[in-house]
Structure formats: C-alpha cells, structure tokens
Amino acid sequence: MNVRLPWVVAGAFVLAVILSVLIFGGKNTATEDIRAAYLPGGEFTLSHGGERFDMRGLRGAPYILYFGFTHCPDVCPLGLATIRDALQQDEALSDVKALFVSVDPERDTAERVASYAAFFHPNILGKTGTKEEITKLAKAYGTYFMAGAKDANGGYSVDHTAYYYLLDRDGELVRVLDHNVTALTIAEELQKLL
Ligand code: NI
C-alpha cells in the first residue's frame, strides 16, 4: 500500500481550500449567486422632496431592495405582497426591512411612495430620488426602466425589470432573486443572512 497517497490527497484538499478562499474570499457568496457577484451593487443616497435617504442607515440587518412605481398595475403590487408575505414567514424576520425605490419620480412624491409601500407592510420603506440618482442606483443593480409615451390624460406606464435584491448586514449585494420566487424562498434566503 502506498502510504504517501493520503498525504497527497490531504495536500490537494488544503490547496483547493486555500485557492477557493483566494478566489472567492472577496465575496463569500460568489459561488452561490453569480448575478450578485457580477453586479456592482453598493449603497446610495436618494434625495426627493427635501428628504434625504442614505441606504447605509439600513446596515446591521439584511434587507430587500426592490424597484418599481406606485402606478404599476400588476408586477409591483404582486412583488410587494410577496415581500410582505416573506417578512411574515418568521418572527425572526420581524425587524428585516425592504426598500421600495420608485423609478417614477415624476409622479411618485416622497409621501406617495412611502405610504404606498407601508400599505403592504410597515417594514417596507418607499423611497425615490432624482432621476440621476435612481438611474445610477438602478444601473448598479442591473435594473432597467423606461417610461412609456403619455396618453391623452397624461398617464403613462414605466417598463421595468423586477428582481428581489438581497443585501446582507454590511450592505453587500448577496442574492438576486427572480420575480417568480415564493415568499418562502425569500424568507429562507433572508434567514441565512441574519
Ligand atoms: Ni411595477
């Protein structure tokens, strides 16, 4: 029997561990979520209607970031209801917050977006900012939005991508969840970040 073989195997294992730490150590979830690893993410400041909001204020607990607008007929109400259900899955998530950022600052005043989001759940904070701020934030998270043409009454829709972005307690983007995931899946992912 070759007595050296176990040592070669053990050595290869240690080397593999060191290499994976070196490669993935910067973002510990890179292996789990390639989109979260690829997107820049980051924390931004939003100002709207004399109000100033700094995302860094949410540090200390994981949170969900979600983009939309209050006139959205279907996607956003469904998304916010799913977030509400996720936060209600477990007592441990009772302090977790969600940030609903409106991509329609023309119609969504700070008050309007705040009360709209809170209608779904008190932990969902509705915010918006200047067009420039929102564009920068959305780009960092890989969210697209584009306002459509106005109808005769001045009404319009806003096309937008819909993802649930999960940020950890340090404000680092760690998961990008598709819109069709269940509230339970979101809750389970949040629990891992507590
Ligand atoms: Ni929407």
Side-chain angles (χ1 to χ4, degrees):
M1 184 186 157
N2 188 345
V3 289
R4 283 186 190 162
L5 190 63
W7 292 105
V8 171
V9 171
F13 177 75
V14 169
L15 191 66
V17 169
I18 291 169
L19 278 175
S20 64
V21 167
L22 286 174
I23 294 166
F24 301 113
K27 258 194 171 178
N28 57 7
T29 49
T31 47
E32 266 185 63
D33 194 319
I34 195 73
R35 283 182 296 192
Y38 179 74
L39 292 164
E43 293 165 304
F44 292 77
T45 301
L46 299 169
S47 49
H48 197 71
E51 194 201 347
R52 207 167 162 74
F53 175 75
D54 191 333
M55 287 167 71
R56 285 177 298 183
L58 294 173
R59 276 190 192 177
Y63 65 96
I64 305 166
L65 172 64
Y66 187 82
F67 294 89
F69 65 112
T70 68
H71 288 78
C72 186
D74 42 29
V75 176
C76 293
L78 180 67
L80 291 171
T82 304
I83 291 172
R84 173 200 63 210
D85 293 346
L87 298 181
Q88 289 174 344
Q89 290 285 327
D90 184 349
E91 187 73 12
L93 299 176
S94 61
D95 288 333
V96 168
K97 291 192 168 55
L99 184 58
F100 175 65
V101 176
S102 170
V103 292
D104 184 19
E106 191 182 325
R107 286 180 298 187
D108 285 342
T109 61
E111 297 73 29
R112 183 183 167 92
V113 68
S115 60
Y116 178 79
F119 166 79
F120 288 89
H121 193 287
N123 286 15
I124 307 178
L125 312 173
K127 302 286 176 185
T128 189
T130 64
K131 190 86 187 285
E132 292 72 30
E133 288 170 340
I134 295 163
T135 303
K136 218 169 116 184
L137 172 61
K139 197 177 172 191
Y141 284 84
T143 274
Y144 158 88
F145 67 95
M146 175 68 77
K150 288 181 180 172
D151 62 24
N153 302 316
Y156 59 94
S157 191
V158 183
D159 274 346
H160 67 96
T161 41
Y163 293 105
Y164 305 102
Y165 298 101
L166 268 50
L167 285 81
D168 68 12
R169 60 178 70 213
D170 300 318
E172 189 94 7
L173 173 64
V174 287
R175 294 306 309 265
V176 181
L177 300 175
D178 289 321
H179 208 259
N180 60 4
V181 299
T182 63
L184 184 63
T185 298
I186 298 175
E188 284 169 352
E189 292 299 328
L190 284 171
Q191 282 161 338
K192 291 181 199 166
L193 301 175
L194 286 173

